[in-house]
Amino acid sequence: MSSELNLADIKRRMNGAIENLRSEFKGLRTGRASVNLLDPVVVDAYGAQMPINQVGTVSTPEARLISVHIWDKGLIASVEKAIRNSGIGLNPIVDGDTLRIPIPELNEERRIELTKLAKNYSEQAKIAVRNVRRDGMETVKHMEKDGDISQDEQKILEDDIQKLTDDAVKNIDEVTVSKEEEIMQV
């Protein structure tokens, strides 16, 4: 078989879609404090945009509280502003050189909204996996058409690609169900 098709690369790309989904899910608020909730927050510091974890220590001292200990007191206002303007719906409270960020309780309506968002993220991941499958299938068809592989080898490779796709979709569904359960827990 030709080296044009690399099943390990196809699997890597599919796993990349799953990892991206997991990363998206970390930003979904579930009513519990998590340092990952602040991952999308970027602070204007020293004339550059920096992730919040590069200007202070982010921790969760309690189940419903995130604490950010700012290393440079001159950045406290910038960090507070960045959190308020980030669109994640959190309001920090300044306490010296520390920001305390209470995590409000989620109501039922917001939980349902978050599960719909989780399903949307999941569908985007499945689309990415299907695009990788399509690319792989096209490569196999071209290889057979060009005479690089036989029809039997084409069928075997297509089955391998479909199995990788099925495994990736199954994994996406498992991750999504787990996140939905986490969101809906009262």
Side-chain angles (χ1 to χ4, degrees):
M1 284 184 248
S2 173
S3 63
E4 288 182 46
L5 180 77
N6 184 345
L7 287 176
D9 184 56
I10 290 173
K11 184 175 183 176
R12 180 193 57 75
R13 290 172 56 200
M14 288 182 179
N15 286 339
I18 295 167
E19 288 308 310
N20 188 45
L21 176 66
R22 286 191 172 118
S23 174
E24 293 279 351
F25 280 172
K26 286 179 183 177
L28 279 182
R29 198 154 53 96
T30 60
R32 274 190 229 103
S34 166
V35 295
N36 296 323
L37 283 176
L38 298 180
D39 283 351
V41 177
V42 223
V43 179
D44 187 23
Y46 312 114
Q49 297 290 316
M50 303 176 85
I52 198 163
N53 63 3
Q54 290 186 6
V55 296
T57 306
V58 182
S59 63
T60 53
E62 298 174 24
R64 303 186 62 73
L65 181 73
I66 299 175
S67 174
V68 182
H69 178 75
I70 313 296
W71 300 321
D72 181 354
K73 288 187 181 209
L75 294 177
I76 293 173
S78 294
V79 174
E80 179 186 16
K81 181 180 176 187
I83 293 170
R84 287 189 197 280
N85 296 339
S86 66
I88 55 178
L90 299 175
N91 293 310
I93 301 163
V94 179
D95 182 13
D97 58 355
T98 301
L99 294 178
R100 301 197 187 289
I101 308 160
I103 306 298
E105 188 96 20
L106 291 177
N107 60 23
E108 191 66 21
E109 185 179 306
R110 180 67 177 141
R111 289 176 193 276
I112 291 169
E113 202 176 294
L114 287 174
T115 57
K116 286 179 184 175
L117 188 58
K119 287 178 183 172
N120 185 29
Y121 288 159
S122 173
E123 189 55 38
Q124 294 302 316
K126 288 179 184 179
I127 289 169
V129 166
R130 289 192 292 265
N131 286 340
V132 172
R133 176 189 66 192
R134 184 194 65 228
D135 292 347
M137 293 294 196
E138 286 177 1
T139 301
V140 169
K141 285 178 185 166
H142 286 300
M143 289 168 62
E144 193 277 331
K145 186 178 177 184
D146 294 343
D148 293 338
I149 59 173
S150 68
Q151 287 182 342
D152 289 342
E153 289 172 319
Q154 175 187 2
K155 177 72 175 135
I156 290 169
L157 286 172
E158 286 175 348
D159 288 346
D160 289 346
I161 292 169
Q162 187 59 48
K163 182 179 179 336
L164 289 173
T165 303
D166 293 342
D167 290 347
V169 169
K170 181 180 173 205
N171 197 338
I172 289 169
D173 288 338
E174 289 170 356
V175 170
T176 303
V177 166
S178 173
K179 187 63 176 185
E180 288 174 353
E181 288 172 356
E182 183 183 334
I183 291 170
M184 292 309 288
Q185 285 178 351
V186 178

